[in-house]
Amino acid sequence: MQRSAQRTRLTRILACAAVPVMLVAAGCSSDSGDSGGSGKAEGQGNASASASVTPSPSQSTKTVEPAKFAKLPEVCKSISSKTTASLVPKAKTKNGTPAASSDLASRGGCSWNGLEDKGVEGSQYRWLDVSFYRYESDAALGSGQERAQENLAKELAKVQQTPGAKKLRTVEATGIGDEAKTVTYQLRKTDEDFVYTSIVARTGNVLVLLSYNGAGYAGADTPSEKTVTNGAIKAAKEAVAAVATANK
């Protein structure tokens, strides 16, 4: 009976926790009520992709570098099922929940979340989400690469300003696309400590926003920052690589 009551309490708690921080626009951060989960991609933040502007006569002769990538990968398949299963062991939807998008060629998102019951050792909650934004080259706005670069800085600033974030730290993330930043922090929610890692990365004219976080319930230990960050980096590398694969 005690275990059943505990499960009921967890269900109520998680209903409040499963509201993302970052996605998209991010929607693409998270279970926990902040960072992006499913539904980030459509109309999230200022990471608007493929804006169309009619150039003035003086601009019409200006040439810009062509956009490197013409398409986006299928977002829920951009991270392997093996990786999502290891990062979110008991995902409610194994294949991910896609975010709403009116233009999948320019933006898209997907998220996974779940609670792993470890019996007397408590339960572990995890949330993973990823979003993509592709920018076209435009004589008035600049090349797709430049536009993605500008929006990377904006999205990074949004993550760094997460309300209530503690022990926030930003570092360069090597080996992830053309440039990337990793932001780690902690949030106290639903009477538990959540550990977050958000990665903002650019590959050519595509911006990739990824968030991974977790918490321990019913006496379970809080996941370490190292564990969460390593998981986020692994997933981010796969997501970035998927962009190049989709454009072969």
Side-chain angles (χ1 to χ4, degrees):
M1 291 295 291
Q2 180 179 5
R3 193 61 184 167
S4 176
Q6 187 181 74
R7 287 177 178 275
T8 300
R9 177 175 175 273
L10 284 176
T11 299
R12 292 175 179 173
I13 290 175
L14 293 175
C16 298
V19 180
V21 180
M22 181 183 160
L23 227 31
V24 169
C28 240
S29 186
S30 130
D31 99 359
S32 15
D34 294 18
S35 200
S38 65
K40 279 182 176 180
E42 181 63 10
Q44 288 181 335
N46 295 318
S48 56
S50 305
S52 176
V53 175
T54 302
S56 64
S58 62
Q59 296 172 322
S60 60
T61 57
K62 179 182 177 181
T63 59
V64 295
E65 180 185 5
K68 182 175 181 179
F69 298 116
K71 62 176 70 172
L72 292 177
E74 189 172 341
V75 187
C76 289
K77 293 183 179 179
S78 64
I79 301 173
S80 71
S81 57
K82 181 178 179 180
T83 295
T84 57
S86 67
L87 298 183
V88 188
K90 296 294 182 179
K92 294 177 182 177
T93 305
K94 184 176 67 172
N95 295 325
T97 301
S101 174
S102 60
D103 183 4
L104 291 174
S106 297
R107 56 188 174 273
C110 192
S111 65
W112 298 258
N113 72 89
L115 179 72
E116 182 180 22
D117 187 347
K118 296 196 172 212
V120 296
E121 295 180 3
S123 302
Q124 287 289 336
Y125 185 81
R126 296 291 185 273
W127 174 287
L128 170 69
D129 64 58
V130 62
S131 294
F132 293 84
Y133 287 103
R134 186 180 65 82
Y135 299 87
E136 293 283 7
S137 292
D138 187 288
L141 301 175
S143 71
Q145 287 72 240
E146 292 171 332
R147 296 178 65 197
Q149 203 166 31
E150 291 171 359
N151 279 284
L152 183 150
K154 293 176 182 178
E155 295 306 320
L156 176 63
K158 290 179 184 178
V159 178
Q160 293 172 325
Q161 294 166 13
T162 299
K166 298 179 180 179
K167 299 182 179 180
L168 189 147
R169 185 165 55 93
T170 303
V171 299
E172 294 282 348
T174 59
I176 304 177
D178 296 316
E179 57 180 321
K181 298 279 189 178
T182 297
V183 184
T184 57
Y185 57 97
Q186 295 180 14
L187 280 178
R188 179 73 177 178
K189 301 195 301 184
T190 62
D191 295 325
E192 303 295 344
D193 293 316
F194 282 78
V195 178
Y196 282 79
T197 292
S198 293
I199 296 177
V200 183
R202 179 183 68 85
T203 176
N205 59 313
V206 175
L207 192 62
V208 180
L209 309 176
L210 183 138
S211 179
Y212 180 50
N213 67 75
Y217 281 92
D221 293 335
T222 300
S224 69
E225 180 182 302
K226 181 178 180 180
T227 295
V228 173
T229 298
N230 287 347
I233 289 174
K234 178 177 176 58
K237 286 182 176 180
E238 290 187 14
V240 168
V243 176
T245 300
N247 284 271
K248 286 184 178 178

